[in-house]
Amino acid sequence: MASAAPAPDRPAQVPPEPRPYSLKRRLAVGASTLFALIIAVLSIGLWRYSQSAADRTYDLILSGAAISIGERIALTPEGLEIDLPTSAFEILALAPNDRVFYRIVGEGGVTLTGDADLPGLDQPPEDGTRGAIALSDGRYDGEPVRLATSWLELPGLTERTLIGVAVGQTTLARRAMRNDLFLKGLIPLAAVAAAGLFAVRTGVSLAIRPLVDIERDIRARAPNDLSPLTIAPPRESDALVGAINDFMRRLGASRDNAQSFIADVAHQLRTALFGVEGALALQRSVSSDEQLERGRERVRRTIHLTNQLLSHAMVIHRADSPVEAEVDVAALFRRVLEDTLRGGIPDTITLGVETEPGTEGVCIAGDPVALREALRNLVDNAVRHGPADNTIVLRLATAEIGGRPALELIVADQGPGIPEADKAVVTERFVTRDDRGGSGLGLAIVAAVARSHGGRLVLRDAGGGGLEAALVVPRTAPATARAKA
């Protein structure tokens, strides 16, 4: 039975890169949309105003014609007399393209004269509205018309006679007037909108000009130029310039640390390797056992120096990228002692842990790896520089930093201690007080860890002789202090 061919591997789909967007275009589109909405609203209002203005103008003419016709209707003993005034139709003739219609009806809706099918006089109004001009829209002879209607009561010998008058006119002239008013109002409005869009575009260009200046300043710099930006930004971009300058400062500090570290590493390793080379060169003039022991000692010092250099580089790197976690101090002490015993120490050295009342189970916020490295260096210094029957105690005590609660992680020994004049300089790199194989980096590493946690390293004489090295750190490490370390 033939087996199915394996499906070909599908290439991994690479997520598309985000397309850069134009801030100028976004602002221009937003402003254009806003202007379009404003113009649309104003155009609707302008259209309604133009329609109303045209209606008011021609309605006055139409109403005047209806009133003039009504005034020339009279009831005489011989009967109803209708004398159509030519002036009324002459006024309506001011709109030469419009057609004019009229109708006069008597009792019962009988058409007395005019266009018999002209609408508007189908039903007489109530008594209270007779004599008033009523305006309405309608259609006549296939065209839209505007109608002015009025009902008159003519007194007779025995009773009153109800007469209806309707005058109609097509709407060509009023529509032309409406369109003319609308266009004359719309053209300035469009001009104002165009000017506004131009002003917005110009304003956007001026607003982002500081960003362009920043880009040009950075692009024109040499690769090693990390000096702060010197442009005077507006208030809106002042925070951006401050952030860039702060980033350049931190990048410059990191670069300087790396350059200094590389130079120190090169010098120290070169010195150690020259020492090994010199020890091997003396092989012919001394016994082989003595020369072998010297070579081993040189190798041990070189290995120790390399480990210290790597540890120092790790601490500096972690200070630039802080990792904060909850650290159990008791567990930290236990781990340091385990590492020390695993590395091998003489049986004559005693290790112990002490805690003040109220500090049991306490935790601090910090980098557990960096803190463990700092305590290991303090213990290593105590072992290296103390007597053969040294007693090393890891002690936890309470303290304060700037009025805030803190903890002291103390490593105390019974060694010779450090003279008061040397305590200020032994925390610098490659500063050592004797020739016992120290690299001069141990206390520098501890001081760097303390600074990265917003604390400090305190060196003081122990009560019964020896040295107490206290790593003082706040119970909650401030992120700002760690970022500046």
Side-chain angles (χ1 to χ4, degrees):
M1 183 175 182
S3 59
D9 295 336
R10 295 183 178 179
Q13 294 184 354
V14 179
E17 296 183 358
R19 296 180 59 186
Y21 63 88
S22 172
L23 180 61
K24 182 184 297 185
R25 181 178 301 173
R26 283 194 173 186
L27 292 175
V29 170
S32 300
T33 302
L34 180 60
F35 269 106
L37 291 175
I38 294 175
I39 291 176
V41 173
L42 293 179
S43 297
I44 293 174
L46 179 61
W47 177 267
R48 291 180 176 177
Y49 169 77
S50 301
Q51 182 70 56
S52 175
D55 285 341
R56 285 196 305 269
T57 301
Y58 282 94
D59 284 347
L60 288 174
I61 298 175
L62 196 61
S63 300
I67 293 173
S68 296
I69 293 175
E71 290 177 346
R72 302 301 291 271
I73 300 175
L75 188 60
T76 65
E78 289 80 12
L80 190 63
E81 180 180 336
I82 300 175
D83 182 13
L84 294 178
T86 57
S87 60
F89 294 99
E90 288 175 354
I91 295 175
L92 295 174
L94 293 175
N97 294 327
D98 279 324
R99 297 165 60 191
V100 179
F101 313 96
Y102 77 96
R103 180 188 179 191
I104 301 174
V105 300
E107 293 288 347
V110 178
T111 300
L112 302 177
T113 182
D115 302 288
D117 53 350
L118 186 66
L121 297 174
D122 298 333
Q123 184 67 31
E126 299 294 333
D127 293 343
T129 59
R130 292 175 184 177
I133 300 296
L135 297 169
S136 61
D137 294 314
R139 293 190 67 85
Y140 182 69
D141 199 16
E143 293 186 73
V145 294
R146 183 72 167 173
L147 297 169
T149 59
S150 176
W151 290 87
L152 308 173
E153 287 185 342
L154 300 179
L157 297 176
T158 58
E159 59 181 7
R160 293 178 177 272
T161 302
L162 191 61
I163 301 297
V165 179
V167 181
Q169 184 183 33
T170 55
T171 59
L172 295 177
R174 67 178 64 213
R175 282 185 288 172
M177 182 179 180
R178 175 200 63 193
N179 295 338
D180 182 64
L181 291 175
F182 178 72
L183 289 177
K184 288 181 178 179
L186 187 61
I187 290 174
L189 185 62
V192 170
L197 289 176
F198 177 76
V200 168
R201 188 172 183 84
T202 303
V204 170
S205 299
L206 293 176
I208 65 175
R209 180 68 59 83
L211 300 180
V212 177
D213 294 340
I214 292 173
E215 183 267 339
R216 290 176 179 173
D217 186 304
I218 296 177
R219 188 178 295 275
R221 291 184 174 213
N224 60 345
D225 185 3
L226 296 177
S227 60
L229 297 173
T230 57
I231 65 173
R235 289 193 301 269
E236 290 75 11
S237 58
D238 183 64
L240 173 63
V241 174
I244 294 176
N245 287 338
D246 183 65
F247 174 75
M248 286 186 173
R249 180 189 61 77
R250 290 186 282 113
L251 187 61
S254 178
R255 181 196 62 184
D256 294 340
N257 289 336
Q259 291 176 347
S260 176
F261 175 75
I262 292 172
D264 291 341
V265 168
H267 173 73
Q268 294 296 327
L269 289 180
R270 189 182 298 113
T271 301
L273 292 176
F274 281 159
V276 174
E277 182 182 16
L280 295 177
L282 293 176
Q283 184 177 6
R284 295 179 181 179
S285 60
V286 296
S287 63
S288 60
D289 292 341
E290 181 181 356
Q291 176 60 31
L292 182 60
E293 184 61 29
R294 289 184 179 180
R296 286 176 178 176
E297 179 62 23
R298 289 287 184 179
V299 170
R300 282 195 297 268
R301 291 191 178 189
T302 302
I303 293 174
H304 176 71
L305 174 62
T306 303
N307 289 334
Q308 291 290 81
L309 289 172
L310 294 176
S311 175
H312 190 254
M314 181 268 295
V315 168
I316 293 177
H317 170 72
R318 296 183 75 88
D320 290 336
S321 304
V323 178
E324 189 171 291
E326 189 176 77
V327 181
D328 186 342
V329 178
L332 178 64
F333 280 179
R334 186 165 53 251
R335 178 68 181 274
V336 171
L337 293 179
E338 291 174 355
D339 292 343
T340 302
L341 293 174
R342 190 180 299 112
I345 60 173
D347 296 337
T348 57
I349 295 179
T350 303
L351 299 176
V353 175
E354 295 180 0
T355 58
E356 285 188 359
T359 60
E360 297 83 358
V362 71
C363 295
I364 59 175
D367 186 344
V369 176
L371 291 172
R372 185 173 70 247
E373 194 66 30
L375 291 178
R376 286 179 57 183
N377 275 277
L378 292 178
V379 174
D380 181 72
N381 278 351
V383 171
R384 185 177 299 275
H385 299 287
D389 57 348
N390 196 3
T391 298
I392 302 173
V393 178
L394 278 70
R395 184 182 307 121
L396 178 61
T398 59
E400 285 188 355
I401 296 180
R404 294 182 293 114
L407 292 175
E408 286 188 347
L409 282 62
I410 304 170
V411 176
D413 61 38
Q414 296 179 345
I418 299 177
E420 196 65 32
D422 294 340
K423 289 179 181 178
V425 297
V426 292
T427 57
E428 299 178 4
R429 289 182 299 180
F430 304 115
V431 174
T432 183
R433 297 177 48 253
D434 54 27
D435 56 352
R436 300 186 186 183
S439 63
L441 283 174
L443 293 179
I445 292 173
V446 180
V449 172
R451 288 193 300 270
S452 69
H453 286 74
R456 62 178 182 270
L457 173 63
V458 178
L459 301 177
R460 55 178 178 253
D461 296 333
L467 179 70
E468 284 189 355
L471 178 62
V472 187
V473 294
R475 294 201 178 190
T476 302
T480 54
R482 301 187 62 183
K484 294 180 180 179

